[in-house]
């Protein structure tokens, strides 16, 4: 399988593991935060942690857009369906994320709400065209990776004069979350970051340079295959050993320093930053999310419909918030594997295909020392 099998070769994995073992300083405990859930799943699925020396620790970060969405925003979406009779469209991962009262979008759909799973924003536009007498709302989530597609959909809707299409915008920004983790009142001990690869293919590696300079944290933009993760860990360990703190790009087959300028232009044309936005586990973070600019207000669901801010509580005992900021690991949650399973998730970390708890449940729960 070209471009995948090359990054899963067992012989190269053994060689990298040997090189890492020879490179680490036995007196140092290396704490490497993988920001993106894709890295978390690669680490669990391919047993990357088992190939590391005992003093190299992966700390799971908040990099899953479904996981970091606060419960109140899901409550907002359900109210849209119940109170305004809209057709709500969203990606599948969101359907089972618990909302207030142990409900979710899937249960709201079962109760009669017109909630539809889509694969792309083009699906949403088609639904709007096919239902000219119904309001169609796209429940948009994601980091910088999915935001350009939402921008394109809004511009297409404007060009076609679609008056029944709007976007409930929940797009968030990666660098702001990284800063919030480093500026936290009780920060988690982190030596370096595995930088998100897909996000960086859009924004480039340049936005991370300030973290390397100001916070003295090495960052390596890492691909999602097991050899990508191992090679990136080696690059970080070398930086730490040498006292360097730079942004290096292991995922050079897709990421440049400046990123995708066309996509950035589209996003900047349609969206602007919110003064602040709530992240699950991280709280209110300034300038960390996007909203539609005034010239696109006609496609903004938050302006078209009444959508009050909702403060919701986590399920008692669920450790998702602490897991998302790296303060705890899935094995530290007493609900995991007892009442919280993929069939009956208590928190977003178990629902999302990129969630740390889902990764632990699928690949790591039977390991004794995970």
């Amino acid at each position: 399988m070209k471009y995948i099998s090359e990054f899963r070769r067992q012989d190269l994995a053994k060689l990298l593991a040997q090189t890492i073992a020879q490179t680490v300083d036995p007196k140092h405990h290396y704490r490497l935060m993988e920001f993106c859930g894709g890295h978390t799943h690669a680490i669990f699925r391919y047993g990357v942690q088992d190939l590391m020396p005992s003093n190299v620790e992966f700390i799971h970060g908040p990099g899953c857009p479904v996981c970091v969405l606060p419960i109140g925003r899901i409550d907002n979406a359900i109210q849209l369906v119940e109170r305004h009779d809209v057709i709500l469209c969203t990606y599948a991962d969101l359907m089972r994320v618990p909302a207030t009262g142990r409900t979710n979008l899937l249960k709201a759909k079962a109760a009669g709400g017109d909630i539809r799973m889509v694969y792309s924003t083009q699906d949403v536009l088609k639904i709007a065209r096919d239902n000219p007498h119904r309001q169609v709302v796209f429940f948009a989530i994601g980091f910088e990776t999915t935001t350009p597609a939402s921008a394109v959909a809004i511009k297409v809707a404007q060009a076609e004069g679609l008056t029944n299409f709007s976007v409930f915008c929940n797009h968030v920004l990666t660098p702001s979350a990284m800063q919030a983790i480093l500026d936290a009142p009780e920060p988690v001990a982190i030596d370096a970051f595995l930088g998100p690869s897909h996000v960086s293919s859009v924004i480039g590696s340049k936005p991370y340079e300030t973290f390397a300079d100001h916070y003295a944290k090495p960052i390596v933009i890492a691909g999602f295959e097991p050899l990508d993760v191992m090679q990136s860990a080696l690059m970080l360990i070398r930086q730490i050993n040498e006292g360097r703190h730079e942004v290096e790009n292991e995922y050079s087959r897709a990421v440049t320093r400046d990123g995708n300028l066309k996509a950035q232009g589209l996003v900047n044309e349609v969206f602007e930053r919110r003064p602040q936005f709530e992240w699950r586990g991280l709280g209110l973070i300034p300038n960390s999310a996007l909203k539609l600019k005034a010239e696109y207000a006609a496609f903004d669901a938050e302006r078209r419909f009444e959508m009050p801010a909702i403060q919701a509580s986590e399920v008692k005992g669920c450790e998702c918030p602490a897991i998302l900021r790296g303060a705890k690991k899935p094995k530290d949650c007493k609900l995991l594997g007892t009442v919280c399973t993929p069939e009956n998730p208590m928190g977003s970390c178990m629902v999302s295909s990129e969630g740390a708890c889902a990764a632990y449940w699928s690949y790591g729960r039977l390991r004794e020392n995970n």
Side-chain angles (χ1 to χ4, degrees):
M1 187 178 292
K2 189 68 175 173
Y3 302 129
I4 293 181
S5 58
E6 298 95 322
F7 298 97
R8 300 178 182 178
R9 284 177 50 181
Q10 189 179 54
D11 58 329
L12 292 181
K14 288 182 178 178
L15 183 60
L16 270 171
Q18 292 171 0
T19 304
I20 290 171
Q22 294 166 357
T23 303
V24 296
D25 178 351
K27 299 177 182 177
H28 190 96
H29 187 82
Y30 299 83
R31 301 175 180 86
L32 313 180
M33 170 173 272
E34 80 273 9
F35 192 93
C36 186
H39 292 140
T40 305
H41 274 255
I43 290 167
F44 277 102
R45 181 177 183 181
Y46 297 104
V48 173
Q49 181 69 74
D50 293 332
L51 297 173
M52 296 290 118
S54 59
N55 59 334
V56 176
E57 178 186 5
F58 289 110
I59 298 173
H60 317 310
C64 162
V66 172
C67 295
V68 299
L69 186 69
I71 293 173
R73 302 292 280 185
I74 303 171
D75 291 342
N76 281 141
I78 292 175
Q79 289 180 359
L80 265 180
V81 176
E82 294 176 342
R83 297 179 182 178
H84 301 283
D85 191 31
V86 306
I87 300 175
L88 183 75
C89 301
T90 193
Y91 300 126
D93 271 5
L94 265 180
M95 295 297 287
R96 295 191 304 120
V97 178
T100 296
R102 301 288 304 277
T103 187
N104 56 35
L105 291 174
L106 196 62
K107 291 179 180 177
K109 178 180 175 64
D114 197 344
I115 302 172
R116 306 185 188 186
M117 290 178 283
V118 294
Y119 291 101
S120 74
T121 54
Q122 298 307 303
D123 294 340
V124 187
L125 291 172
K126 184 178 186 305
I127 291 170
R129 296 185 193 107
D130 293 343
N131 296 271
H133 304 298
R134 300 279 307 280
Q135 287 294 320
V136 177
V137 177
F138 176 48
F139 191 174
I141 66 163
F143 294 107
E144 293 89 337
T145 318
T146 56
T147 311
S150 296
V152 169
I154 291 167
K155 288 184 67 66
V156 169
Q158 184 185 53
E160 294 184 6
L162 284 176
T163 58
N164 65 328
F165 168 82
S166 59
V167 172
F168 179 31
C169 183
N170 295 274
H171 287 298
V172 291
L173 304 171
T174 304
S176 300
M178 189 173 286
Q179 182 170 348
I181 291 171
L182 293 170
D183 287 339
E186 297 180 0
V188 176
I190 298 169
D191 294 315
F193 287 95
L194 293 168
S197 50
H198 289 172
V199 164
S200 302
S201 68
V202 176
I203 68 174
S205 62
K206 186 177 178 180
Y208 305 106
E209 292 175 1
T210 183
F211 301 110
D213 294 337
H214 182 71
Y215 295 95
K217 298 295 182 186
I219 298 173
V220 171
I221 309 300
F224 288 129
E225 292 298 322
L227 293 188
D228 286 318
V229 176
M230 295 182 69
Q231 175 63 30
S232 300
L234 175 60
M235 293 166 71
L236 288 173
I237 290 167
R238 283 173 172 163
Q239 282 205 47
I240 294 168
N241 288 352
E242 296 165 9
R244 293 185 290 121
H245 40 87
E246 303 169 2
V247 177
E248 295 182 313
N249 182 15
E250 184 275 339
Y251 199 48
S252 58
R253 61 189 185 274
V255 173
T256 64
R257 182 170 183 266
D258 292 327
N260 187 327
L261 297 179
K262 185 175 183 179
Q264 293 171 29
L266 272 169
V267 170
N268 292 334
E269 181 182 344
V270 175
F271 296 102
E272 63 184 3
R273 294 193 178 211
R274 296 175 188 265
Q276 63 180 12
F277 191 77
E278 181 184 358
W279 288 57
R280 194 172 193 179
L282 301 179
L284 293 172
I285 304 178
N287 300 311
S288 66
L290 299 174
K291 64 178 181 179
L292 275 68
K293 287 185 173 178
E295 49 264 49
Y296 295 95
F299 303 99
D300 189 344
E302 292 179 82
R303 302 188 194 210
R304 181 172 294 186
F305 304 98
E306 181 184 357
M307 299 181 71
I310 298 175
Q311 295 296 321
S313 301
E314 301 287 344
V315 173
K316 187 177 181 180
C318 175
E319 298 286 4
C320 268
I323 292 169
L324 289 169
R325 60 178 182 270
K328 292 188 177 181
K329 296 189 175 183
K331 65 178 183 180
D332 299 322
C333 182
K334 294 180 180 177
L335 301 187
L336 189 136
T338 53
V339 296
C340 184
T341 64
E343 291 74 27
N344 185 42
M346 294 292 108
S348 56
C349 301
M350 182 60 88
V351 177
S352 171
S353 59
E354 294 186 351
C357 293
Y360 183 89
W361 176 265
S362 298
Y363 308 115
R365 61 192 160 102
L366 300 181
R367 297 173 61 229
E368 292 183 357
N369 298 311
N370 195 296

